[in-house]
């Protein structure tokens, strides 16, 4: 799941199954919010009926990925990001849904299943592929951050479909993360009023970390393969060329079988693609990123990366370059910060 800021400055937490909690001085409170249907029950029934007899099913990967409370005009809305299954077409999407919750008093929020409205289903619906895991939901990305009082940014992973593009003989320009007509392997900006969608960056694998800096830059941590984890920056300048971070064509890491990711067998310095601000070898398993300007003191403006490997990394960025990475060990896997 993920965490977000509640209107009172405390925390909202969404669990893997979509239930929402408030955490603050009074402890942990489960809210009266029924999540939108992701059709997991129908998928499980189809699996039990033998529709996918040749495939495995990782139920733990079929999950809700983030929560965001945002005030749009004069009403508070709750956003949830999750993977959604479509039983008739045997396909799935990365989905963003919204529900009006009223005012800022979270203790009065009441949301039924029918109160949700779909903001966006990433296009296209990804079809079931025989002989593979039905849904690689652990590579969904699905993180949310508010830009202002009507726009959000949303990360959308490539669901593992591009990892073996060479083995599957997929032309490079037809991979999900590289195609301009898909919303996977991308960072999107969505206007909640007009519902306009803009692709801000492409060429990502599993962007599990997403944060907006005070400068307007967007920080993205991409969960790569073997030694391919990245800290990436999307510039705030609207006139700047939108970055293409290169997945699955170039990466400083390797496949899990240790073979090179680059199509030519060489990294070639990411020629033609946007290099990451930092790549991590060995992998750190980045799951989240925080950019804050109120740390104060020597941490003012630093970027913090949370990792499933049991650490937080303080990253000092000066004059457009990473100057220092300080690992801080913590007793557990960091899912979100």
């Amino acid at each position: 799941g993920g965490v977000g800021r509640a209107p009172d400055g405390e925390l909202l937490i969404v669990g893997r199954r979509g239930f929402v909690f408030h955490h603050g001085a009074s402890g942990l409170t489960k809210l009266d919010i029924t999540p939108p249907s992701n059709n997991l029950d129908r998928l499980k029934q189809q699996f039990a009926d033998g529709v996918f007899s040749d495939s495995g099913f990782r139920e733990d990967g079929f999950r809700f990925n983030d929560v965001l409370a945002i005030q749009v005009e004069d009403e508070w809305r709750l956003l949830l990001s999750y993977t959604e299954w479509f039983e008739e077409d045997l396909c799935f999407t990365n989905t963003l849904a919204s529900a009006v919750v009223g005012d800022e008093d979270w203790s009065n929020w009441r949301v039924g299943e029918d109160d949700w409205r779909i903001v966006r289903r990433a296009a296209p619906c990804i079809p079931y592929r025989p002989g593979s895991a039905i849904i690689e939901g652990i590579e969904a990305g699905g993180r949310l951050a508010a830009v202002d009082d009507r726009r959000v940014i949303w990360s959308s992973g490539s669901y593992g479909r591009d990892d073996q593009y060479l083995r599957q003989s997929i032309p490079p320009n037809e991979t999900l993360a590289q195609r301009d007509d898909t919303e996977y392997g991308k960072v999107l900006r969505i206007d909640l009023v007009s519902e306009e969608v803009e692709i801000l960056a492409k060429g990502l694998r599993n962007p599990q970390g997403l944060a907006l800096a005070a400068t307007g830059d967007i920080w993205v941590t991409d969960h790569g393969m073997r030694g391919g984890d990245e800290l990436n920056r999307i510039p705030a300048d609207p006139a700047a060329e939108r970055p293409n971070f290169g997945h699955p064509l170039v990466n400083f890491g390797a496949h899990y079988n240790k073979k090179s990711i680059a199509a030519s067998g060489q990294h070639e310095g990411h020629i033609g693609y946007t290099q990451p601000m930092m790549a991590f070898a060995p992998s750190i398993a980045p799951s989240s990123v925080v950019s804050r300007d109120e740390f104060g003191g020597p941490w003012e403006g630093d970027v913090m990366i949370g990792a499933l490997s049991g650490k937080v990394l303080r990253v000092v960025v000066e004059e457009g370059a990473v100057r220092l990475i300080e690992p801080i060990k913590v007793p557990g896997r960091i899912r979100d910060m």
Side-chain angles (χ1 to χ4, degrees):
V3 300
R5 189 70 64 185
D8 60 3
E10 305 279 8
L11 291 181
L12 292 174
I13 304 172
V14 61
R16 189 175 70 192
R17 292 288 171 258
F19 298 108
V20 180
F21 302 81
H22 178 276
H23 186 277
S26 59
L28 189 69
T29 303
K30 184 178 180 181
L31 304 186
D32 187 8
I33 294 175
T34 302
S37 175
N38 59 3
N39 297 319
L40 174 60
D41 55 339
R42 298 303 309 147
L43 175 58
K44 291 171 67 175
Q45 185 60 53
Q46 287 181 291
F47 191 83
D49 292 342
V51 176
F52 311 107
S53 58
D54 62 340
S55 300
F57 176 43
R58 292 187 60 177
E59 184 177 335
D60 64 325
F62 194 95
R63 62 193 183 198
F64 285 74
N65 296 302
D66 211 358
V67 58
L68 178 68
I70 182 172
Q71 187 174 16
V72 181
E73 297 174 341
D74 60 347
E75 63 185 18
W76 279 88
R77 299 186 190 181
L78 190 68
L79 303 180
L80 288 179
S81 172
Y82 57 98
T83 299
E84 182 180 12
W85 174 252
F86 296 86
E87 61 175 312
E88 293 185 0
D89 296 324
L90 301 184
C91 64
F92 60 91
T93 63
N94 202 2
T95 299
L96 180 61
S98 169
V100 175
V101 291
D103 59 27
E104 62 184 14
D105 187 354
W106 56 268
S107 65
N108 292 327
W109 291 357
R110 304 288 185 273
V111 178
E113 185 176 318
D114 294 334
D115 295 328
W116 294 96
R117 181 181 63 83
I118 299 300
V119 176
R120 190 73 176 181
R121 290 185 173 105
C125 195
I126 301 178
Y128 157 67
R129 185 178 62 199
S132 67
I134 294 177
I135 298 173
E136 289 288 355
I138 59 174
E139 298 180 20
R143 295 302 196 192
L144 288 162
V147 177
D148 48 37
D149 60 359
R150 62 182 287 169
R151 296 181 301 167
V152 299
I153 47 177
W154 183 37
S155 69
S156 183
S158 52
Y159 283 88
R161 288 304 176 93
D162 293 343
D163 287 2
Q164 302 294 333
Y165 83 99
L166 287 176
R167 182 181 302 174
Q168 299 161 18
S169 299
I170 302 174
N173 62 346
E174 293 185 14
T175 57
L176 288 178
Q178 290 297 315
R179 284 169 50 188
D180 292 328
D181 62 343
T182 83
E183 294 169 346
Y184 300 96
K186 311 294 195 301
V187 172
L188 310 170
R189 183 164 55 204
I190 302 176
D191 189 309
L192 298 175
V193 178
S194 68
E195 299 188 354
E196 294 180 352
V197 178
E198 180 183 4
I199 295 177
L200 301 182
K202 67 179 182 178
L204 295 159
R205 180 177 183 262
N206 184 14
Q208 289 190 359
L210 186 69
L212 186 70
T215 60
D217 291 349
I218 300 170
W219 291 104
V220 183
T221 52
D222 199 19
H223 194 126
M225 287 187 275
R226 195 181 187 96
D229 297 338
E230 297 178 346
L231 172 64
N232 294 302
R233 182 180 69 90
I234 303 173
D237 182 4
E241 184 177 351
R242 295 308 186 192
N244 179 354
F245 296 109
H247 177 74
L249 311 182
V250 294
N251 188 270
F252 284 115
H255 289 287
Y256 292 117
N257 62 8
K258 301 185 181 180
K259 293 185 181 297
S260 173
I261 286 177
S264 64
Q266 302 293 328
H267 297 302
E268 296 183 345
H270 281 63
I271 294 174
Y273 300 94
T274 306
Q275 291 207 37
M277 292 291 290
M278 178 60 63
F280 298 90
S283 296
I284 61 169
S287 60
S288 51
V289 65
V290 176
S291 176
R292 290 285 184 266
D293 293 303
E294 63 264 24
F295 283 134
W299 285 21
E300 185 79 18
D302 290 353
V303 177
M304 311 295 289
I305 299 175
L308 298 173
S309 54
K311 62 174 69 76
V312 172
L313 294 98
R314 172 190 170 214
V315 181
V316 178
V317 181
E318 294 179 350
E319 298 178 353
V322 173
R323 303 296 187 191
L324 170 71
I325 296 180
E326 178 187 3
I328 304 168
K329 296 192 71 173
V330 293
R333 291 161 60 83
I334 304 298
R335 176 63 63 185
D336 200 1
M337 297 191 297

